[in-house]
Amino acid sequence: MSSRRTETGGRIDRLRTIRFTFDGAPYTGHAGDTLASALLASGVTLFGRSFKYHRPRGLLAAGVEEPNALVTVLRGDVREPNIPATMVEIYDGLVAVSQNRSPSLAWDISALNQLGGKVLSAGFYYKTFMGPVIGPLKGTRFWMFCEHFIRRAAGLGRAGTAPDTSRYERMNAFCDVLVVGSGPAGLMAAKAAADQGARVILAELEARFGGSANWSGETIDDAPAADWAGRLVGQLEGNDNVRLLPRTTVWGYYDGNTLAALERVTDHKEVAARGEPRQRYWAIRAGTVVLATGSFERPLVFPGNDRPGVMLAHAAERYANEYAVLPGERTVVFTNNDSAYRSAVALKKAGAAVVAIVDVRSDVSSEMSRLASEADAELLAGHAVVATEGGKALTGLKVQRFDLTSGALSGDERSIHADCLAMSGGWSPTIHLASQAGARAEWDPGRQAFLPPQPTQRWIGAGAFTGSFSTAEAIAEGRAAGLQAAGGTASLAPLPVVEAVPGDPDPAPVFEIKAKGKSFVDFQHDVTAEDVRLAHREGFVSVEHLKRYTTLGMATDQGKSSNVPGLAIMAEALGKPIPEVGTTRFRPPYTAVSIGSLAAERFGDLKPERLTPMHDWHIENGATMYSAGLWYRPMIYGLAGETVEQAYVREAKATRESAGIVDVSTLGKIAVQGPDAAEFLDRVYTNMFSTLAVGKARYGLMLREDGLAFDDGTTWRLGEQDFLMTTTTANAGKVMQHLEYFLDVIWPELKVTVTSVTDEWAGAAIGGPKARAILAACVKGTAVDNAALPFMGIVHGEIASVPVMICRLSFSGEMAFEVYSGAGYGTRVWEALIEAGKPFGLVTYGLEALGTMRIEKGHVTGAEIDGRTTARDLHLDWMLSKKKPFIGSAMMDREGLIASDRLQLVGLVSLDNRPFNGGAHVVEELDEANPHGSIGHITACCYSPALGKYIALALVKGGKARHGTRAFVSDPLRNRFGPIEIVSNHFYDPDGSRMHG
Amino acid sequence: MLITCPYCGPRDVIEFTYQGDGNRERPQPVSQDLDAWNAYVYDRLNPAGDHNEIWQHSGGCRAHLRVVRNTVTHEILSTAFARGGHKSAGHRTEGKP
Ligand SMILES: [Zn+2]
């Protein structure tokens, strides 16, 4: 492979040689090269294989819109696929591989797909993958089998499986003016805004600021445009108000002028500097956005337009001027507009032979004729390229006479020997961000392009983005936009003077040359002009349907180069003008965005941990912790060699025989205070609280507005206007929000405040026959006997010199007390209780034993209050006051909520002495082969030491009427079937004699 | 989207919790008019355009706000405490710069 590097010129550092590999072979390039330019300089023409047909493909473009030359970059085991080679800056040690080829890029077996082109035409996914609906393979998985191979053959890069160890960062930024794009328009806008004192962010998706100034060959203020741009960038760098973001793609424009950008911080480095993330996600809130995003050159659609060596004219010019690489030695230019003439002159200047300029227009201006002579090129006006030749590189092409109005070809084909074809089908402003921000783009018949819509957010366009393709216009519009964005007045100061090649910005309205052979519209998805017409013949008329059916514009490049030609061909097929066919709206992201950057620091185990005040004690004393929401709670305090079941059975048994203590600090606690607190609670709970005496607690139930059960808990009246509400652990936040909503929105007249005090209190529940004796042994300042502390009574005292509040209430069914102290003293009080309990055989117990004892008692929790059950379903209708309305009272008696066949809470006893599983179904008749006929399901289950049986709580249709009947548990997932008896949910001590004492 | 909380100033939407259509009227607590209750509990306006909504500044001062928001453009037209009192005009994004 010969070197195509020119002797001089370019914005590369020839003194710095960089070594890298591509498909395992070593290459060199210079600092300032992209992977594309360095490989092109080394004579590489073949960069990839196409999506469906595996056709050889070379570089089409030089920038972000490149559809063909997609590569995978490897860093260790981490692979990042589908990156345009034009966007990869080379660094020492870069390892890149081509994609979609097997076994190698040059020799690709699947290229045979080309022979099966008919099979893989438009809609091939839909036609192929629907599967046989008749015939011997009907209903089989045959199509899945086929799909596996077709998908492997038709595809792009392969994602890796190694974990990405890179670090990503998220930044929130604020500015007065965000300038997107740093060509002459963007630079002028940033400078003008910064000079007004505005806070400016300038984002450029490439490594170099300057955009077209880096390769236009124009002169600005008597200096090469690139030097002029460099000077401006230097001035911006020196301004504290300005933040320059190179390698930063603004990829999303959201409401409220919020924009998302991706900064590739170290992708171009061999080794990241200490502390540098790989990529940084920027969320930018901008006062005003200046969109100076430029434009994309369009390819022309003609047979063989995808042959390696056929590229966009400006890309050829850019490789020559910016990277000092000649894409070919014998170049032909094919165009429908004036801009390619400048490219021809530039290529000639750089040392290439420009053999011919093929222009579809027969009338070419005298200025363009002069440029053709300057390029030493034969001008073939009124001609078109009708075929290309060559395999992995272009060797020649054929031209014919072309009639602009009819599109007809005539005369003999003429062959021209060439290794590069530089084409230009006109230019499309890069309106993606404006489109994301709101309104529809508007078709401009002169420019033959969609121009940006009227702003619906605060942005101003400048330069080629607006359809003003000359540098002089870009500079003027850029300065005006910058001034306006910063709130300045129009400047009368002279503008920089541009010396440029002249040209008419309007192309001829020619998108396709209809001749025999595959003419590609969407290079990346292998969509041909014929595919578009086929879709039309098959009845697709809407642009959105056509797009999905042909997959036009749906590849990773999102049709940056193919959208307008594709639309033009659709419009022609439909016999409609382009604006009537319309364009699709662009959506974020503008280019591919790594998932890592979106997650940034938010990955792994990021949820906060809520630990009770006694957490460390639990750990030190052998607790196995269990995560319940954000909380960590002891599950069991296992002894050596114990199973979980053995541990909780021991803990529950000991509690019922002597005493047990459990940490209940996680219960939600809300202080409800104020003159109307009692009235508020009457409205919130189904039962009365205004009648509750000070120093007493009451169990309460809340419903939702729709009448279904919401949450339960006890509320303590600490003073006339002072209540302490407890909620279930899981619902603490929801209940708080519920109370706040009613106080703020529905009943603002109530004088009540609610405050979450969950974290202020440590709570320990001590229960069992010996519980009172243990308390008596350590509590000072109050008696705890029946008279002083009756059931649901509250007393204040001290334990270990710490003030405590004790309420006699029971969840376990034993005589039990909840002891609350300030959170900071939780462990001190806990330890004092443990110490006092030693002579009485006190055990600590965890969630498993707590759950076991509550199941034995038939108490409900979140498993039963599941958002579908009513108070009646749970046999809590005794709590529904008839003396007052409350939240849910109006809706709770609706027909469906009082039906007799509703799922109701029952108890189940295993008759085969085997454990149950939560979620298992209850059936009347067992059918293991074909499980069906569920009449309910298990919500909670355990081994009951008190009953010596496996028991469960369940919600069963018309459950109450089924007490004493037999049924079956049916759990096909876990293969557990067996007989059960349906009983009352109150398994143990149903009259409550133990807790009342 | 920025919502201007009368207490806390313009804050990102991430700090707020949507609490539903602000046009609903809760029947009198003693009302037995099931149609009215049904309308209150289940019916929601869903306009394409300006909409009265309730938002809670759950990640901030926890006040509930009445917010007028354009559901098409996400423009916040005004915010006020649901309890009444202080009102605050939302920051307006002008159509034209
Ligand atoms: Zn607030």
Side-chain angles (χ1 to χ4, degrees), chain A residues 439-457:
Chain A
R440 265 180 118 79
E442 286 152 22
W443 178 254
D444 185 273
R447 294 285 188 279
Q448 290 285 299
F450 284 99
L451 298 190
Q454 283 301 309
T456 49
Q457 295 208 47

Side-chain angles (χ1 to χ4, degrees), chain A residues 856-871:
Chain A
E856 289 175 339
K857 282 298 292 178
H859 289 317
V860 294
T861 65
E864 292 79 28
I865 304 182
D866 64 356
R868 294 174 293 185
T869 48
T870 65

Side-chain angles (χ1 to χ4, degrees), chain A residues 193-352:
Chain A
D195 287 348
Q196 295 287 315
R199 291 176 306 158
V200 175
I201 295 178
L202 174 62
E204 166 56 55
L205 63 81
E206 296 199 353
R208 254 190 287 270
F209 290 99
S212 64
N214 288 312
W215 51 268
S216 67
E218 291 171 343
T219 301
I220 305 176
D221 276 351
D222 296 325
D227 294 352
W228 171 85
R231 212 165 55 227
L232 231 59
V233 172
Q235 289 167 6
L236 291 169
E237 269 169 356
N239 190 328
D240 289 344
N241 289 342
V242 179
R243 187 193 284 277
L244 294 175
L245 293 177
R247 303 182 180 90
T248 302
T249 309
V250 178
W251 57 260
Y253 198 141
Y254 298 94
D255 41 60
N257 255 26
T258 306
L259 293 97
L262 180 71
E263 181 186 3
R264 298 175 301 282
V265 184
T266 59
D267 281 357
H268 63 294
K269 294 186 181 178
E270 186 181 2
V271 183
R274 192 180 154 84
E276 269 181 337
R278 178 186 171 219
Q279 295 178 342
R280 195 175 276 135
Y281 166 66
W282 288 84
I284 303 170
R285 286 188 186 283
T288 304
V289 180
V290 174
L291 294 174
T293 49
S295 56
F296 287 127
E297 194 168 22
R298 302 191 293 242
L300 285 161
V301 181
F302 57 92
N305 63 342
D306 66 328
R307 187 104 43 215
V310 182
M311 69 166 62
L312 295 169
H314 90 277
E317 180 183 359
R318 188 173 170 192
Y319 282 117
N321 281 351
E322 186 169 349
Y323 298 106
V325 183
L326 286 182
E329 278 156 19
R330 283 176 60 84
T331 299
V332 171
V333 172
F334 180 28
T335 186
N336 69 356
N337 70 93
D338 285 0
S339 70
Y341 286 77
R342 185 184 80 183
S343 304
V345 171
L347 289 167
K348 170 70 184 169
K349 271 191 192 156

Side-chain angles (χ1 to χ4, degrees), chain A residues 426-595:
Chain A
W427 296 79
S428 295
T430 311
I431 57 173
H432 299 63
L433 289 176
S435 172
Q436 288 179 22
R440 265 180 118 79
E442 286 152 22
W443 178 254
D444 185 273
R447 294 285 188 279
Q448 290 285 299
F450 284 99
L451 298 190
Q454 283 301 309
T456 49
Q457 295 208 47
R458 282 167 302 169
W459 60 260
I460 308 168
F465 163 84
T466 67
S468 305
F469 293 143
S470 79
T471 304
E473 288 169 299
I475 283 176
E477 289 184 11
R479 186 173 78 177
L483 282 171
Q484 192 189 337
T489 48
S491 169
L492 297 173
L495 284 159
V497 178
V498 181
E499 281 173 51
V501 173
D504 183 342
D506 292 345
V510 172
F511 295 92
E512 185 194 358
I513 310 302
K514 284 184 198 159
K516 197 174 175 307
K518 277 199 168 71
S519 306
F520 285 88
V521 183
D522 183 329
F523 291 76
Q524 199 171 100
H525 253 169
D526 263 3
V527 180
T528 65
E530 194 45 38
D531 286 332
V532 177
R533 283 189 278 272
L534 174 66
H536 170 250
R537 285 199 300 275
E538 291 184 358
F540 291 87
V541 290
S542 136
V543 58
E544 294 290 347
H545 292 163
L546 270 168
K547 182 179 146 178
R548 279 159 185 78
Y549 190 59
T550 58
T551 72
L552 176 72
M554 288 171 67
T556 64
D557 66 342
Q558 293 283 292
K560 287 185 177 60
S561 55
S562 64
N563 261 314
V564 170
L567 206 62
I569 292 165
M570 288 179 192
E572 199 206 329
L574 293 166
K576 282 184 183 173
I578 291 173
E580 280 183 34
V581 176
T583 183
T584 56
R585 185 166 159 189
F586 294 106
R587 300 189 189 284
Y590 171 64
T591 55
V593 176
S594 63
I595 302 283

